[in-house]
Amino acid sequence: MTPLVGMRLAGFVRSARALPPLIAALVALTVLHGGAGAQAAEAYGVSAVVLFPILAWQTRLLLDTEPDVQRRLAGVVAGRRSELAAGVLAAVVAGLAFAPVALLVPWLVGGVTGPERTGDLPILLGLGVGLWAYLLVLPAAIALGALASRAATASPLYGVAVLVGGVVGAFVFGLKTSVVPWLAPPVLATARASTTGPTAGTLALLTAHALAWSAVALAGYAWLRRRRA
């Protein structure tokens, strides 16, 4: 499986498909945080919301880099489960490689400040909350990007519709007034918790929600792949 992961990541980088999401993230984070001077936890919580669609888009681009024939040959040689898992793992590696960008850019553009009032989180604790927020939205973004990939939708148009619809749905159903928040990954809820300072119970609840949603979405991706095989 490791050679398959490496092959997909190499193709993603060499084809220059890795550049558009990276450029979009740099622009979005710079515009969002340029001179804003927010607390670390709040800044990174908002960053996670902004990066969610970009990470989903990156996953779709990565999975669509490999030609269909090559993907089928890989499935025959390594097995369908290994081929599918290799694509998801490659997306995870690419998403984790984004973490330094997500954490450093807000600092570099003056978007993060230290504690200013009583009750503000210390810098290191705020950084930890920000890393948690990023790692929380990553699996959901990967799952959404996989559902929007060509292997699952069979059509670029359908893939774009799934990607856009999933992002819009995550924001609409994730509103505080939503009556069905469980339909969406907790992207907005994570930002709200980061802003107010999450408790241990909130951390556990949101983490469980994100993992459960991602597992269901990835199961749907696997089912669509089997249906099209």
Side-chain angles (χ1 to χ4, degrees), residues 118-211:
T118 303
D120 287 344
L121 294 178
I123 287 289
L124 289 180
L125 185 55
L127 184 63
V129 171
L131 182 60
W132 164 78
Y134 179 81
L135 294 177
L136 198 69
V137 302
L138 178 60
I142 290 173
L144 177 58
L147 284 172
S149 66
R150 188 175 63 250
T153 61
S155 167
L157 180 60
Y158 291 158
V160 171
V162 170
L163 185 63
V164 174
V167 171
V168 173
F171 292 159
V172 172
F173 293 126
L175 292 173
K176 196 172 184 179
T177 56
S178 174
V179 295
V180 284
W182 49 269
L183 284 179
V187 178
L188 295 184
T190 299
R192 290 193 294 267
S194 299
T195 301
T196 59
T199 62
T202 301
L203 289 173
L205 183 62
L206 291 177
T207 301
H209 181 181
L211 293 177

Side-chain angles (χ1 to χ4, degrees), residues 70-82:
Q70 182 175 321
R71 185 178 64 251
R72 294 190 185 100
L73 287 175
V76 171
V77 174
R80 291 180 180 175
R81 291 184 179 179
S82 294

Side-chain angles (χ1 to χ4, degrees), residues 201-225:
T202 301
L203 289 173
L205 183 62
L206 291 177
T207 301
H209 181 181
L211 293 177
W213 191 93
S214 302
V216 171
L218 286 174
Y221 168 63
W223 178 81
L224 289 172
R225 289 282 306 270

